[in-house]
Amino acid sequence: MDGIKRVLVTGAAGNIGYAIIPLIASGQLLGPDQPIILHLLEIPPCKERLEGVRMEIEDCCFPLLKGIVATTDSKEAFTDIDIAILVGSVPRTAGMERKELLSKNGTIFREQGTLLNQYSKKNVKVAVIGNPANTNALIAQAYAPNIPKENFTAMTRLDHNRACALLASKTGTSYSNVKNVIIWGNHSSTQYPDVRHAVVNGKNAIEAINDDTWLKNEFISCIQQRGATIIKARGMSSAFSAAVAAVNHVHDWILGTPEGKWTSMGVSSDGSYGIPVGVIYSYPVICKYGKYEIVQNLKIDEYSRALMDKTYEELLSEKTEAYSFLGLSA
Ligand code: NDP
């Protein structure tokens, strides 16, 4: 990559923001030769906390970091950016209905889509982390008609990494010997972590594990519930694992997936695997030269089909609720 790249992080003074900023500034996002300018956005009540974060980054003296724009002004934050990592969103609180969560975040991502459209580079690449990530990405995309649709993605990489880690620990091998897990669908408890095409130590994962009951039950529910389990243990939601996964997501998108491996990303559905156009759905993808391609022609059995459709149905119902609130037509 040449020239200086401007990277925006929203919700920069939050948990994930705090963990992701040093990873980006130290070169783990775009490689060790790519100078960057960090754009950090926060809401006005968090202005002082953001200022603390800005001072800490300065004190790290990262050689690749050529400037910091720490601001509560959205227009300033979105101007001329090359990459947007959208972390900031309203968290779901006890008793909050999904409808309310979708409408609050719908408003934020409508504004952010409009800002991307007006002020960012026309080839800006957008990774949405803030939940409900798939639907938030869809809304931002809907309000940014000047930016290619394929530039909007949602993170399911943490789920993907969690699935690889669990397969590695079950088989007593290293993470590097596990590849080609798939997360299908929504970054939510309906996601389908699929090991049918995964490889562990050069062997098909189903053969390597040799325990179908574990794979169909404990494995899936452990991945689906991992976020909640971490909150219970830590008293706070996962932060550095989410930050690392977001960095993995953007890094592989821009610089390519390793030879022979795919990853999982929420991208615009294009009819692949029978998922209708019109949602941001997590698929297996291979990335090269800054573009992703959905891996094609994988065999889908009846068991997988049912779970892939179920998570699609949830995405469709999130879209219907959010679009009706925003007055958008599907
Ligand atoms: P976190 O930094 O912990 O999380 C931010 C978002 O990432 C949440 O929506 C969270 O979802 C989501 N997320 C996605 N995947 C994961 C994962 N695997 N583990 C944990 N979280 C995940 O939240 P904080 O409240 O600490 O920080 C958010 C910041 O955003 C605040 O500082 C707030 O001021 C700011 N904000 C900025 C806005 C803006 O820039 N316009 C708008 C709204 C808020 P979940 O809630 O489901 O855990």
Side-chain angles (χ1 to χ4, degrees):
M1 297 183 93
D2 36 324
I4 296 180
K5 298 289 178 194
R6 292 179 179 267
V7 180
L8 165 67
V9 178
T10 66
N15 258 316
I16 298 175
Y18 189 76
I20 201 171
I21 288 166
L23 301 178
I24 299 172
S26 61
Q28 294 191 50
L29 189 81
L30 298 177
D33 302 319
Q34 177 59 63
I36 59 167
I37 293 177
L38 267 175
H39 286 220
L40 306 176
L41 178 64
E42 258 302 346
I43 49 176
C46 296
K47 192 174 178 175
E48 206 175 330
R49 202 142 49 98
L50 180 64
E51 182 53 15
V53 173
R54 188 190 63 74
M55 288 190 274
E56 278 207 71
I57 313 166
E58 274 185 3
D59 296 348
C60 292
C61 301
F62 289 117
L64 292 171
L65 188 60
K66 302 303 176 196
I68 305 166
V69 179
T71 182
T72 55
D73 175 344
S74 302
K75 179 182 163 198
E76 188 184 17
F78 279 83
T79 295
D80 278 342
I81 52 164
D82 299 278
I83 291 169
I85 303 179
L86 305 181
V87 180
S89 64
V90 174
R92 188 172 189 153
T93 46
M96 187 193 271
E97 281 190 31
R98 194 174 68 151
K99 218 178 194 160
E100 195 184 341
L101 183 76
L102 284 165
S103 71
K104 284 200 160 128
N105 285 305
T107 311
I108 292 171
F109 283 82
R110 170 175 63 190
E111 188 206 351
Q112 297 194 341
T114 307
L115 290 159
L116 285 161
N117 201 51
Q118 277 187 295
Y119 301 113
S120 304
K121 298 242 173 83
K122 292 301 164 232
N123 200 27
V124 60
K125 287 188 160 60
V126 182
V128 177
I129 317 303
N131 279 314
N134 301 52
T135 300
N136 289 342
L138 189 73
I139 292 167
Q141 184 190 57
Y143 284 93
N146 297 337
I147 297 168
K149 278 195 171 341
E150 64 268 23
N151 288 22
F152 289 83
T153 63
M155 179 175 87
T156 49
R157 181 61 176 265
L158 182 55
D159 310 300
H160 181 101
N161 288 351
R162 285 169 173 167
C164 290
L166 190 51
L167 289 183
S169 90
K170 179 77 176 170
T171 51
T173 191
S174 130
Y175 314 123
S176 54
N177 296 328
V178 179
K179 65 175 189 175
N180 297 351
V181 162
I182 304 169
I183 304 297
W184 298 101
N186 200 2
H187 170 68
S188 75
S189 60
T190 66
Q191 65 174 271
Y192 169 39
D194 179 4
V195 297
R196 282 168 157 56
H197 310 277
V199 176
V200 178
N201 285 325
K203 227 173 153 181
N204 175 271
I206 294 182
E207 284 169 39
I209 302 273
N210 195 24
D211 185 348
D212 210 38
T213 309
W214 182 83
L215 280 172
K216 284 187 169 159
N217 298 287
E218 223 174 307
F219 172 75
I220 293 187
S221 69
C222 179
I223 303 303
Q224 290 174 337
Q225 300 303 326
R226 183 71 159 186
T229 312
I230 290 175
I231 292 177
K232 204 167 158 218
R234 216 170 80 88
M236 293 168 84
S237 63
S238 42
F240 70 75
S241 55
V244 167
V247 165
N248 294 159
H249 172 112
V250 175
H251 175 277
D252 285 1
W253 185 5
I254 309 279
L255 297 173
T257 38
E259 194 60 39
K261 275 193 178 183
W262 65 60
T263 185
S264 303
M265 271 169 85
V267 303
S268 290
S269 56
D270 63 353
S272 295
Y273 297 100
I275 302 301
V277 172
V279 294
I280 300 277
Y281 191 91
S282 179
Y283 284 104
V285 300
I286 284 176
C287 308
K288 235 184 210 174
Y289 311 123
K291 289 186 185 302
Y292 57 78
E293 267 180 30
I294 297 171
V295 176
Q296 297 293 339
N297 300 320
L298 297 172
K299 265 201 170 156
I300 304 298
D301 61 16
E302 248 178 66
Y303 174 79
S304 295
R305 183 76 262 159
L307 293 173
M308 287 163 69
D309 289 346
K310 185 175 170 210
T311 187
Y312 167 72
E313 291 304 327
E314 184 186 49
L315 281 169
L316 188 61
S317 99
E318 283 186 11
K319 177 184 177 179
T320 307
E321 273 179 35
Y323 271 39
S324 113
F325 166 76
L326 294 166
L328 284 169
S329 55

